[in-house]
């Protein structure tokens, strides 16, 4: 069965244009084509990148965050409570009103204190500012290296300047060593992001990030197997261009350099919108959909790669809407709104409200004790403890 599945999967009709078979893609001493088995190298390379990232964050990023004044916020810790901890771990992190009442009865606590416990417990699980800073530093370092590596690899390639060259001689386009290593670098990085997803900072677009990573890995892998190397390199360079501005924007935001952060965000927004909504559709989508048909007839690989590219474009549109909304807020308010993708803390205002409530309750309790001890009588008669209370708040012995 495995043999039959293997033969079905690698039918040349799926991967190659009509009239081309795998026999036409045989290698020689001077000519090398992409081989699917090469993609297995990306897994150990990805693990190496994970190790490099851990070392980078501990040895460089964390000390740098301290020197630049990035301070983690002191968060009140939730008091140990086995009942609430069990519910938090096995059921929900944000219980509803009915669940709060039930938990309050089980723990013999006021509902407000149970609510406060869950709020503090959720904040304990949120990533610290230094962790966000370290992650942004790592990604910024990689994107800078990757982007300039892509430019160095492609600057003398004809398809960077004339997009029709992407299809000249396709699919019999020899694989150059520089293109191979560039592909391995990018694919290994996205695999490393998948490996570290459970530990990375989770944002509101977490599901979209998973779809993005999956589509990117499939796109890079399929384009390598089907020898869409030229179009694949264009996709990767276009994506890295805007990411080079996004990560330093986050870094300056964590450093509280507000004006620098706002300026960089505006630059990032312009680069993102132009590269993803203008350059990408023309350079990639129009290229694969229209120019490729000048060379060969449609086949399965043609439709499949276009579907993956369109999925990426839909994600570009989703993120563009978020960015445009933030830019509009900046124009109207004169200051940059917090990252809409970030999961913010619930602490400050809620904690202040809790303190005010406690003070009010304590004041009411004190007032109740005072009246019950006979200091003030409803009928206006003299107090029972032989003291005369004056209007100025002082008292003297009778």
């Amino acid at each position: 069965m495995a043999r039959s599945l293997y033969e079905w999967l690698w039918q040349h009709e799926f991967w190659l244009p009509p009239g081309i078979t795998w026999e036409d893609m045989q290698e020689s001493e001077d000519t090398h084509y992409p081989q699917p088995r090469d993609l297995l190298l990306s897994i150990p390379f990805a693990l190496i990148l994970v190790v490099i990232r851990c070392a980078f964050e501990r040895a460089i990023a964390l000390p740098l965050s301290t020197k630049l004044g990035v301070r983690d916020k002191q968060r009140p810790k939730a008091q140990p409570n086995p009942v609430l901890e069990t519910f938090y771990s096995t059921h929900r992190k944000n219980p509803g009103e009915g669940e709060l009442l039930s938990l309050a009865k089980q723990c013999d606590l006021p509902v407000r204190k149970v609510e406060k416990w869950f709020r503090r417990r959720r904040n304990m699980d949120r990533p610290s500012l230094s962790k966000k800073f370290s992650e942004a530093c790592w990604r910024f370092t990689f994107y800078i290296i990757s982007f300039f590596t892509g430019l160095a690899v492609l600057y003398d390639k004809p398809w960077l300047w004339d997009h029709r060259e992407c299809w000249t001689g396709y699919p019999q386009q020899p694989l150059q060593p520089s293109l191979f290593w560039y592909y391995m670098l990018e694919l290994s990085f996205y695999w490393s992001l998948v490996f570290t997803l459970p530990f990375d900072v989770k944002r509101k677009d977490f599901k979209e990030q998973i779809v993005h990573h999956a589509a990117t890995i499939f796109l890079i892998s399929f384009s390598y197997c089907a020898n869409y190397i030229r179009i694949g390199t264009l996709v990767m360079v276009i994506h890295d261009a805007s990411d080079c501005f996004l990560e330093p924007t986050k870094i300056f935001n964590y450093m509280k350099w507000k004006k620098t952060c706002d300026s960089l965000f505006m630059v990032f927004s312009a680069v993102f919108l132009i590269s993803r909504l203008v350059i990408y559709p023309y350079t990639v989508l129009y290229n694969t959909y229209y120019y490729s048909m000048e060379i060969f007839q449609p086949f399965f690989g043609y439709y499949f790669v276009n579907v993956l590219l369109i999925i990426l474009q839909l994600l570009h549109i989703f993120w563009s809407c978020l960015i445009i909304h933030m830019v509009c807020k900046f124009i109207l308010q004169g200051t940059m709104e917090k990252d809409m993708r970030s999961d913010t803390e619930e602490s400050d205002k809620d904690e202040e409200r809790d303190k005010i409530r406690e003070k009010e309750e304590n004041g009411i309790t004190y007032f109740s004790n005072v009246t019950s001890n006979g200091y003030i009588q409803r009928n206006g008669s003299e107090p029972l403890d032989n003291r005369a209370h004056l209007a100025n708040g002082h008292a003297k012995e009778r």
Side-chain angles (χ1 to χ4, degrees):
M1 182 178 293
R3 179 68 179 178
S4 300
L5 179 62
Y6 179 85
E7 292 178 352
W8 175 84
L9 178 63
W10 293 105
Q11 295 182 67
H12 63 265
E13 290 86 357
F14 290 167
W15 301 88
L16 302 174
I20 305 294
T21 64
W22 291 117
E23 285 74 18
D24 299 319
M25 302 293 294
Q26 293 297 323
E27 294 184 332
S28 63
E29 294 183 359
D30 301 326
T31 304
H32 299 280
Y33 296 113
Q35 300 297 324
R37 62 178 178 270
D38 298 339
L39 297 176
L40 297 176
L41 292 173
S42 63
I43 302 299
F45 288 163
L47 296 177
I48 292 173
L49 282 179
V50 172
V51 173
I52 294 174
R53 171 183 175 175
C54 292
F56 174 87
E57 290 184 353
R58 291 187 179 183
I60 298 177
L62 280 176
L64 183 62
S65 68
T66 303
K67 290 183 179 180
L68 294 177
V70 178
R71 298 287 183 268
D72 292 332
K73 186 176 182 180
Q74 296 297 324
R75 299 167 177 168
K77 293 185 178 181
Q79 295 297 323
N81 189 309
V83 175
L84 299 182
E85 185 66 37
T86 300
F87 185 92
Y88 182 87
S89 303
T90 59
H91 292 80
R92 296 174 59 187
K93 297 183 178 181
N94 194 3
E97 185 176 351
E99 293 168 324
L100 287 173
L101 291 172
S102 175
L103 290 169
K105 291 181 180 179
Q106 295 180 43
C107 301
D108 194 23
L109 292 172
V111 175
R112 182 177 53 79
K113 289 191 175 182
V114 175
E115 187 179 5
K116 182 199 292 186
W117 187 94
F118 275 96
R119 182 170 61 251
R120 290 183 172 181
R121 186 64 181 85
R122 287 193 296 270
N123 284 340
M124 288 172 60
D125 283 348
R126 288 188 169 89
S128 63
L129 204 61
S130 58
K131 177 176 173 59
K132 295 179 180 180
F133 180 91
S134 300
E135 181 180 312
C137 283
W138 164 249
R139 297 198 182 200
F140 172 63
T141 302
F142 176 84
Y143 288 134
I144 283 290
I145 293 174
S146 177
F147 178 66
F148 284 101
T149 298
L151 291 181
V153 168
L154 295 177
Y155 83 97
D156 61 344
K157 303 300 187 292
W159 63 86
L160 180 63
W161 313 106
D162 183 1
H163 305 321
R164 282 186 169 87
E165 288 293 327
C166 289
W167 312 109
T168 300
Y170 179 83
Q172 295 169 310
Q173 297 171 337
L175 176 63
Q176 301 176 19
S178 59
L179 298 177
F180 168 79
W181 288 112
Y182 181 45
Y183 248 72
M184 287 299 106
L185 177 66
E186 290 280 354
L187 183 58
S188 301
F189 176 69
Y190 282 102
W191 272 121
S192 72
L193 292 182
V194 172
F195 296 158
T196 57
L197 268 176
F199 315 103
D200 287 344
V201 176
K202 291 181 175 59
R203 304 183 185 276
K204 293 180 181 179
D205 62 346
F206 179 72
K207 294 180 180 179
E208 288 80 6
Q209 285 284 355
I210 294 176
V211 175
H212 176 269
H213 295 342
T216 302
I217 289 172
F218 276 117
L219 180 59
I220 293 175
S221 301
F222 180 82
S223 65
Y224 186 85
C225 294
N227 205 11
Y228 282 108
I229 299 292
R230 298 184 178 183
I231 198 68
T233 55
L234 296 178
V235 174
M236 293 186 291
V237 167
I238 291 172
H239 278 71
D240 290 341
S242 59
D243 290 332
C244 291
F245 293 96
L246 174 61
E247 301 306 326
T249 302
K250 296 179 183 178
I251 291 172
F252 285 112
N253 180 44
Y254 303 144
M255 292 168 55
K256 309 299 182 184
W257 290 25
K258 189 65 177 173
K259 292 183 179 180
T260 306
C261 173
D262 292 349
S263 301
L264 269 177
F265 183 82
M266 297 303 292
V267 174
F268 159 75
S269 301
V271 174
F272 185 95
L273 296 176
I274 293 173
S275 62
R276 306 292 180 95
L277 300 184
V278 179
I279 297 177
Y280 177 85
Y282 173 72
T283 303
V284 177
L285 294 181
Y286 186 76
N287 193 0
T288 55
Y289 180 79
Y290 181 75
Y291 287 157
S292 61
M293 291 296 94
E294 297 178 353
I295 307 299
F296 53 79
Q297 296 299 314
F299 65 105
F300 175 81
Y302 164 81
Y303 293 114
F304 187 70
V305 75
N306 274 283
V307 167
L308 292 177
L309 293 172
I310 291 173
I311 290 175
L312 286 182
Q313 182 61 16
L314 293 177
L315 291 171
H316 296 164
I317 294 173
F318 170 80
W319 285 313
S320 296
C321 292
L322 294 181
I323 291 171
I324 292 172
H325 179 74
M326 294 178 70
V327 171
C328 291
K329 288 282 186 180
F330 176 76
I331 294 173
L332 295 176
Q333 300 178 1
T335 183
M336 187 59 64
E337 191 184 53
K338 65 180 181 293
D339 187 356
M340 297 176 64
R341 301 165 55 223
S342 297
D343 192 13
T344 55
E345 294 191 23
E346 311 166 56
S347 55
D348 296 340
K349 292 183 179 179
D350 295 323
E351 291 291 340
E352 290 176 3
R353 280 197 296 266
D354 288 337
K355 290 180 181 179
I356 293 173
R357 286 177 183 174
E358 289 178 359
K359 289 180 179 180
E360 290 176 349
E361 289 177 359
N362 291 336
I364 292 171
T365 302
Y366 175 75
F367 182 79
S368 176
N369 290 336
V370 168
T371 56
S372 64
N373 288 333
Y375 286 105
I376 299 175
Q377 295 183 350
R378 294 181 181 177
N379 59 7
S381 62
E382 292 185 354
L384 302 179
D385 65 346
N386 296 324
R387 285 191 171 195
H389 291 259
L390 304 181
N392 60 4
H394 298 284
K396 70 176 182 178
E397 297 292 333
R398 297 186 60 172

